[in-house]
């Protein structure tokens, strides 16, 4: 495995231009004192969250943890013989994409045509669409992008002969074929063919299409399990092995003769270790295969779902590698204390994730500015704009105090915040801003 052209590129000027956007009312939590400044100018002010007028609630990124996660994942992939095309849907932040690419990312993964449009606006040169694109408008636009930019590389999935027919029809007359991977699924999963026979039929249809080129196989193992017991991990390994079997079958029948370097891709942020184990096993002689992981949530990790299930989480399965660190933190004020057992915080479903667990109370900031760890407190439910905080006996929580919360599942946090302050090691000094595009 000696991947060629393993690093993609971005339009550095377009990324740099993000810092020239001016702060205004659209960024609801950012201090009005910074209004009118560019993001770069505001970052140079080194404003403090609680002293310089930021409106709660707010979610911030920890600069040190973010860099740690970027470097840790990049180093592990390089040592393991795989490349990374991180899923951009986690952050939808071109500034983060640029940092992932600077750490050696092979490409950026997208979920739909709208994502691709945003990526291309920032010049991402290699995009892996972890989905099937059958919409004629989207396919024609992709064909236009490919024709206009010889350096642009694009690959997507297909899982049916009918899908191949629809893509071929929409792409009729295009000069560059669209690269595709046969998607393999499994019972209990999402999309993807369910058996090798169907996979072969789809691969043969792609090979016969004048508008498509078969490059390999892809899929997503995370839909098959949320456990870390032996049975769950074995299921993941077995699934990843089906991706290998299909590629070998395609190659034996000559369906990959025109593929160049073959792509085999899986690997979210929960089981990328098991996927890498399978996809880096020896391949048949003469078959040049590039294993591609698509982990996205690793970049910020979390204080919930991924902390429990990631191979570099709270119960690491990978030895001798420092675990990921949570890089997202929410702050909310105590707005009401109806009883000694209950307080209400100014944060809710519109502000924080809740699909994979409630926010986790971690720190208590008193009016004096003193910060202490917060144990025994639990968020029991969220309304649109309120969090219900259950108080243990003797809780020191008072109206007006602030509570820092860890969040679970970063993918459903970023979409709620068009602008995220990045804080220094003290957790309160803003040294940068990250702009999202959902």
């Amino acid at each position: 495995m000696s991947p060629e052209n393993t690093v993609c590129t971005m339009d550095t000027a377009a990324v740099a231009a993000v810092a020239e956007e001016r702060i205004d009312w659209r960024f609801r939590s950012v201090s009005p004192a910074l209004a009118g400044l560019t993001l770069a100018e505001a970052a140079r002010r080194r404003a403090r969250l609680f002293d310089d007028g930021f409106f709660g609630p707010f979610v911030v990124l920890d600069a040190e943890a973010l860099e740690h996660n970027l470097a840790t994942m990049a180093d592990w992939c390089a040592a393991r013989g795989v490349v990374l095309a991180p899923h951009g849907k986690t952050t939808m932040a071109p500034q983060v994409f640029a940092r992932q690419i600077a750490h050696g990312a092979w490409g950026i993964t997208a979920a739909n045509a709208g994502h691709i449009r945003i990526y291309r606006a920032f010049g991402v040169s290699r995009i892996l669409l972890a989905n099937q694109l059958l919409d004629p408008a989207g396919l024609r636009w992709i064909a236009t992008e490919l024709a206009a930019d010889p350096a642009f590389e694009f690959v997507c999935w297909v899982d049916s002969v009918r899908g191949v027919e629809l893509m071929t029809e929409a792409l009729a007359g295009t000069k560059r074929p669209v690269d595709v991977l046969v998607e393999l699924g499994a019972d209990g999963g999402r999309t993807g063919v369910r058996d090798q026979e169907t996979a072969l039929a789809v691969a043969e249809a792609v090979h016969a299409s004048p508008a498509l080129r078969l490059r390999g196989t892809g899929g997503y193992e995370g839909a098959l399990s949320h456990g870390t017991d032996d049975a769950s991990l074995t299921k993941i390994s077995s699934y990843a092995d089906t991706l290998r079997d299909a590629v070998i079958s395609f190659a034996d029948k000559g369906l990959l003769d025109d593929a160049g370097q073959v792509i085999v891709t899986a690997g979210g942020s929960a089981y990328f270790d098991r996927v890498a184990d399978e996809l880096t096993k020896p391949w048949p002689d003469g078959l040049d295969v590039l294993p591609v992981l698509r982990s996205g949530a690793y970049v910020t990790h979390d204080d919930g779902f991924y902390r429990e299930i990631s191979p570099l989480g709270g119960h690491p399965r990978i030895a001798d590698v420092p675990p990921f660190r949570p890089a997202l933190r929410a702050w909310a004020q105590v707005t009401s204390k109806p009883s000694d057992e209950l307080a209400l915080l100014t944060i809710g479903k519109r502000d924080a994730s809740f699909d994979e667990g409630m926010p986790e109370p971690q720190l208590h900031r008193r009016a004096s500015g003193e910060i202490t760890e917060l144990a025994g407190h639990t968020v029991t439910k969220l309304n649109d704009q309120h969090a219900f905080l259950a108080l243990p006996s003797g809780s020191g929580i008072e109206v007006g105090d602030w509570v820092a919360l860890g969040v679970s599942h970063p993918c459903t946090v970023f979409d709620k915040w068009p602008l995220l302050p990045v804080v220094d090691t003290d957790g309160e000094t803003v040294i940068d801003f990250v702009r999202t595009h959902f």
Side-chain angles (χ1 to χ4, degrees), residues 346-425:
T346 57
I347 192 168
K349 294 178 181 179
R350 302 299 179 91
D351 313 300
S353 56
F354 56 93
D355 56 317
E356 293 286 0
M358 292 291 109
E360 179 182 85
Q362 295 178 337
L363 299 175
H364 176 198
R365 191 181 196 278
R366 294 174 173 82
S368 65
E370 178 190 8
I371 296 177
T372 56
E373 292 188 5
L374 193 60
H377 294 64
T378 306
V379 172
T380 59
K381 68 176 180 177
L382 297 179
N383 290 160
D384 279 2
Q385 310 289 175
H386 292 90
F388 290 71
L389 182 66
L391 309 177
S393 176
S395 172
I397 292 288
E398 298 292 345
V399 171
D401 293 349
W402 289 80
V403 173
L405 305 114
V407 294
S408 179
H409 195 201
C411 299
T412 49
V413 178
F414 278 92
D415 64 309
K416 297 169 173 54
W417 297 95
L419 191 66
L420 288 153
V422 180
V423 295
D424 208 346
T425 53

Side-chain angles (χ1 to χ4, degrees), residues 62-396:
D62 181 317
E64 190 175 69
L66 185 66
E67 178 57 29
H68 167 81
N69 295 342
L70 287 164
T72 298
M73 189 64 170
D75 291 347
W76 183 85
C77 287
R80 200 65 187 79
V82 298
V83 298
L84 180 65
H87 212 317
K89 71 175 177 60
T90 299
T91 66
M92 290 304 295
Q95 294 156 287
V96 175
F97 300 169
R99 293 184 63 176
Q100 291 171 313
I101 288 171
H103 278 279
W106 173 85
I108 303 293
T109 297
N112 56 46
H115 288 175
I116 301 167
R117 186 178 183 184
I118 294 169
Y119 296 7
R120 289 297 291 160
F122 288 88
V124 178
S125 65
R126 184 184 287 122
I127 298 172
L128 193 162
L129 177 64
N131 214 331
Q132 300 174 72
L133 182 59
L134 304 181
D135 171 38
L139 286 166
R140 287 192 293 267
W141 179 78
I142 288 292
T144 300
E145 289 290 297
L146 289 168
D149 184 358
F152 175 40
E153 297 178 48
F154 173 77
V155 61
C156 67
W157 293 352
V158 66
D159 79 348
S160 66
V161 172
R162 177 58 176 159
V164 172
E165 293 170 350
L166 291 171
M167 294 184 74
T168 302
E169 180 180 338
L171 293 167
T174 56
K175 294 182 179 179
R176 283 181 65 184
V178 169
D179 289 346
V180 299
L181 309 176
V182 175
E183 182 191 1
L184 277 76
D187 290 342
R190 298 192 307 214
T191 52
V193 301
R194 295 305 200 248
D195 57 75
Q196 295 287 335
E197 182 180 358
T198 306
L200 181 57
V202 175
E204 289 173 338
V206 171
H207 190 255
S209 169
L212 305 176
R213 179 173 69 151
L214 183 64
R215 291 291 305 277
T217 60
Y220 175 57
E221 77 291 345
L224 303 179
S225 178
H226 279 180
T228 56
D229 57 282
D230 288 344
S232 296
L233 296 177
T234 298
K235 179 188 290 187
I236 298 303
S237 296
S238 297
Y239 168 74
D241 203 43
T242 67
L243 300 175
R244 288 178 50 85
D245 291 343
V247 163
I248 294 169
S249 172
F250 299 166
D252 287 345
K253 293 185 178 299
L255 302 178
L256 293 170
D257 289 352
D258 299 325
Q261 191 170 48
V262 175
I263 295 170
V264 183
T265 177
S269 291
Y271 302 110
F272 58 82
D273 57 331
R274 287 300 180 114
V275 169
D277 286 346
E278 298 304 315
L279 300 190
T280 56
K281 289 179 178 177
W283 291 88
D285 290 343
L287 192 57
D288 182 15
V289 177
L290 180 67
V292 181
L293 303 183
R294 303 192 310 277
S295 313
Y298 83 92
V299 72
T300 59
H301 196 49
D302 73 2
D303 282 302
F305 177 74
Y306 286 110
R307 178 179 62 193
E308 297 304 313
I309 202 170
S310 167
L312 286 173
H315 311 285
R317 301 190 297 273
I318 298 174
D320 302 323
V321 176
F324 295 139
R325 302 176 192 169
L328 280 170
R329 171 166 282 166
W331 283 95
Q333 195 171 29
V334 181
T335 189
S336 179
K337 187 179 177 183
S339 71
D340 290 339
E341 294 78 36
L342 176 66
L344 280 300
L345 307 179
T346 57
I347 192 168
K349 294 178 181 179
R350 302 299 179 91
D351 313 300
S353 56
F354 56 93
D355 56 317
E356 293 286 0
M358 292 291 109
E360 179 182 85
Q362 295 178 337
L363 299 175
H364 176 198
R365 191 181 196 278
R366 294 174 173 82
S368 65
E370 178 190 8
I371 296 177
T372 56
E373 292 188 5
L374 193 60
H377 294 64
T378 306
V379 172
T380 59
K381 68 176 180 177
L382 297 179
N383 290 160
D384 279 2
Q385 310 289 175
H386 292 90
F388 290 71
L389 182 66
L391 309 177
S393 176
S395 172

Side-chain angles (χ1 to χ4, degrees), residues 40-65:
E41 291 168 343
R44 289 195 290 270
R45 291 282 183 93
R46 297 181 64 86
R48 293 179 59 81
L49 297 174
F50 299 101
D51 299 330
D52 293 315
F54 283 73
F55 290 175
F58 38 77
V59 172
V60 299
L61 284 164
D62 181 317
E64 190 175 69

